[in-house]
Amino acid sequence: MKFSLGAGLFFWPKAQVEQFYQQAMHSDADIIYMGETVCSKRRELKVKDWLGLAKEVAQSGKQAVLSTMTLLESPAEIQTMRKYCDNGDFLVEANDLSAVQIMHELKLPFVAGPAINCYNLSTLKVLIKQGMMRWVMPVELSGDWLKALLDQAQQANLRDAFECEVFSWGYLPLAYSARCFTARSEDRPKDDCRYCCINYPQGRQMKSREGQDVFVLNGIQTMSGYQYNLINEIQNMQEVGVDIVRVSADSEQAFKQLSLFKQQLLNPEYFPLDQQKECNGYWHQIAGMSSKA
Amino acid sequence: MIMELLCPAGNLPALKTAINNGADAVYIGMKDDTNARHFAGLNFNDGKLAKAADYVHQHGKKLHVAINTFAHPDNEKRWQAAVDNAVAIGCDALIIADLGVLDYAAHKYPEVERHVSVQASTTNIEAIRFFHDNFAVDRVVLPRVLSVQQVKQLAAKTPVPLEVFAFGSLCIMSEGRCYLSSYMTGESPNTVGACSPAKYVRWQETEQGLESRLNDVLIDRYLPDENAGYPTLCKGRFDVDDNVYHALEEPTSLNTLELIPQLSQMGIVSVKIEGRQRSPAYVEQVAKTWRMALDRYQQSPDDFQIEQAWMNTLANLSEGSQTTLGAYHRKWQ
């Protein structure tokens, strides 16, 4: 089993991003995803900055992967994404079918990110034909769903055609909108957002009127209010056939989590989840926000 | 070119009403989780499906069948059987979101029109090309996340005709990419064909007011003089740093009557009315109003004016009795 650090989903100042990836290079991650996947207005780092960082990451011995945008609406966004796809050096995580299309045209292998709707074997086959070499399961799917699918892939002699990665820790990316909810929280439309996401390095908690953490507002993205945590499922994940465990780059806490997850493989230990802050429901095919011991 | 008026029907009476009130085409789903409006008491079994096709075709109109959830790994055959069924009764178009189901339909029934469902989240030119190149699709239904300007840019370049949402409940997330419902209840549009399913809804009178809950999560609380709406989880009032408001969206419906000239000029082929879960009476009012508006534009495109009566009719049928242009209008975003 390998461990990956998913692309950072929040908007941080350039210096903080650079410092974060300096730490990432010395972390327990084998694979490091990077790039802006949420909002094209977030331009603290330009394409050349991300490529420079990827180069450093690759030199540190980790696999560097460039993650592309999820919701692309304008020709300019496509143009920028094309630069990532055609970077010439690094693997690309396609988070929209537009990236799949471009990677296929470039005849380059790609990672199908969790926002690409792949729920069954026929879809896996379509994506493999396009050049998919690694599949990140949609976050709402369960361990049983995954097992059924990987067993079918095995029977179809396709299991060696791709690696399987599972989002295992962090705030789950759940939805994407044309609307910026962070700007709305400051009573402004997206076109006048003043890049306010940068003031919320962990997003904004949206609570119920009873104080329950429901969602996290992160620009045009809505995330889970609780942090997803599959630390107690890692043996099961291994049995099912998960190749890569993804820890999301929520904060520097991610590095500690990478170590904990890695230790779980060798010395499994039970970690009770904080039901007010953590969840693992999706893996158990129940409400995502709930948790099962 | 005249834009097609595409109306929803959750049952045979609604379908007949839609046709009788001016729909050029009607879209329906089957009585199972292969479509994104899988609600109790709604949709068409095999017998009704054939009757629907007969009625629509007798009137010279078209029938689209939505098979737009994502196939489960242990049961892909059910989604394929749904395609077989729809083709067998003579549907004019299949509306599909799942790449695997689309692949099946494209290979087995290349002659039957394939429309990319809104649930496939196709929001840009390269994604449209993906569906065009791989599945030779005949139409793409755009998610409700694009501004008018963005729709126009796409329409100018697309190799595939485009359909847009014109009226009805407003989904504010990129459709097919919203797991909020499964996060809260375990069931999502993608996996079971339902958002904020009714079986998880609970209403309770409390001292602080009427409360609506979805799987125990408090979605909204109403003062005596406030109208309570269905607790769709993105339309409740929540607390962001002690500010309680509709953090995602207010109860409101999409209404794009005023965009008819623009949509028509940019070459949009079809305007879709949302609401397979709605009553025949609702379908009647919306179909009739939109028919009048589209005909009026057709007769006199240069001085097209919206009648206040149309707007009033549509507002009365809307969530919270208010309508919006949604993402088409940049300020909404």
Side-chain angles (χ1 to χ4, degrees), chain A residues 144-158:
Chain A
D144 286 348
W145 193 301
L146 180 64
K147 184 176 186 317
L149 193 38
L150 292 181
D151 286 352
Q152 286 175 359
Q154 185 83 45
Q155 283 155 23
N157 279 323
L158 283 172

Side-chain angles (χ1 to χ4, degrees), chain A residues 133-144:
Chain A
M133 50 75 71
R134 183 183 297 160
W135 171 55
V136 189
M137 180 177 79
V139 298
E140 72 167 344
L141 297 184
S142 68
D144 286 348

Side-chain angles (χ1 to χ4, degrees), chain A residues 70 120 122 152 176 209-210, chain B residues 73 76 98 174 177 213 220:
Chain A
T70 306
N120 50 59
S122 301
Q152 286 175 359
Y176 302 83
R209 279 192 272 176
E210 294 174 315
Chain B
E76 274 195 65
D98 185 305
S174 178
R177 275 183 167 166
R213 289 174 186 273
D220 214 333

Side-chain angles (χ1 to χ4, degrees), chain B residues 112-327:
Chain B
V112 179
E113 273 199 27
R114 290 171 295 284
H115 296 182
V116 178
S117 167
V118 69
Q119 299 297 124
S121 313
T122 313
T123 58
N124 59 68
I125 192 72
E126 293 301 333
I128 292 174
R129 286 198 183 114
F130 173 85
F131 286 102
H132 174 262
D133 292 2
N134 290 292
F135 310 111
V137 295
D138 301 278
R139 190 182 289 183
V140 169
V141 188
L142 296 179
R144 282 158 276 192
V145 294
L146 301 174
S147 67
V148 166
Q149 186 56 27
Q150 287 165 340
V151 174
K152 189 177 174 186
Q153 284 172 333
L154 269 187
K157 280 192 175 171
T158 177
V160 181
L162 302 178
E163 172 180 313
V164 298
F165 272 86
F167 183 81
S169 286
L170 180 65
C171 215
I172 58 164
M173 303 300 179
S174 178
E175 294 94 328
R177 275 183 167 166
C178 178
Y179 308 140
L180 299 186
S181 180
S182 62
Y183 180 69
M184 211 171 271
T185 71
E187 300 189 0
S188 77
N190 287 7
T191 53
V192 309
C195 170
S196 310
K199 63 181 169 187
Y200 296 98
V201 171
R202 193 155 54 88
W203 293 95
Q204 203 172 10
E205 282 289 358
T206 70
E207 282 179 8
Q208 293 128 308
L210 178 65
E211 291 181 348
S212 63
R213 289 174 186 273
L214 188 68
N215 206 14
D216 281 344
V217 178
L218 182 62
I219 302 297
D220 214 333
R221 181 185 286 152
Y222 300 94
L223 295 171
D225 60 338
E226 288 179 324
N227 282 329
Y230 187 87
T232 306
L233 55 81
C234 61
K235 290 177 180 168
R237 277 175 288 196
F238 298 94
D239 179 335
V240 180
D241 288 333
D242 296 328
N243 186 14
V244 175
Y245 63 109
H246 291 102
L248 300 172
E249 176 58 314
E250 295 149 35
T252 180
S253 291
L254 178 73
N255 181 14
T256 63
L257 270 187
E258 67 185 86
L259 298 180
I260 287 175
Q262 287 184 68
L263 295 171
S264 178
Q265 282 157 24
M266 61 178 85
I268 297 301
V269 297
S270 178
V271 284
K272 183 172 224 158
I273 308 298
E274 184 276 347
R276 287 194 281 129
Q277 71 284 16
R278 301 289 195 152
S279 67
Y282 174 96
V283 172
E284 178 188 345
Q285 294 289 311
V286 181
K288 202 184 270 178
T289 306
W290 271 83
R291 183 75 272 158
M292 281 193 282
L294 288 170
D295 287 350
R296 180 75 56 80
Y297 176 69
Q298 193 59 31
Q299 287 153 9
S300 45
D302 295 331
D303 50 5
F304 175 73
Q305 296 270 331
I306 296 170
E307 282 188 18
Q308 192 54 43
W310 302 342
M311 293 301 270
N312 293 347
T313 303
L314 295 178
N316 283 335
L317 297 166
S318 298
E319 284 180 59
S321 299
Q322 55 177 346
T323 65
T324 170
L325 281 172

Side-chain angles (χ1 to χ4, degrees), chain A residues 68-73 77-78 81-82 85 94-105 116, chain B residues 121-131 177:
Chain A
T68 58
M69 286 272 295
T70 306
L71 178 58
L72 298 106
E73 298 160 319
E77 287 170 341
I78 293 283
M81 182 181 67
R82 197 178 281 279
C85 292
N95 284 311
D96 182 65
L97 289 171
S98 54
V100 171
Q101 173 74 1
I102 292 171
M103 294 307 284
H104 181 66
E105 279 173 9
I116 288 187
Chain B
S121 313
T122 313
T123 58
N124 59 68
I125 192 72
E126 293 301 333
I128 292 174
R129 286 198 183 114
F130 173 85
F131 286 102
R177 275 183 167 166

Side-chain angles (χ1 to χ4, degrees), chain A residues 4 7 22 27 47 54 66-68 90 93 115 118 142 163 184 189 193 201 238 244 261 265 280 285:
Chain A
S4 73
Q22 287 303 321
S27 72
V47 179
L66 294 167
S67 292
T68 58
F90 309 106
E93 178 185 57
C118 176
S142 68
E163 295 172 310
R184 180 177 171 84
C193 75
Q238 199 171 29
I244 301 160
F261 270 84
L265 267 189
N280 63 13
Q285 205 143 340

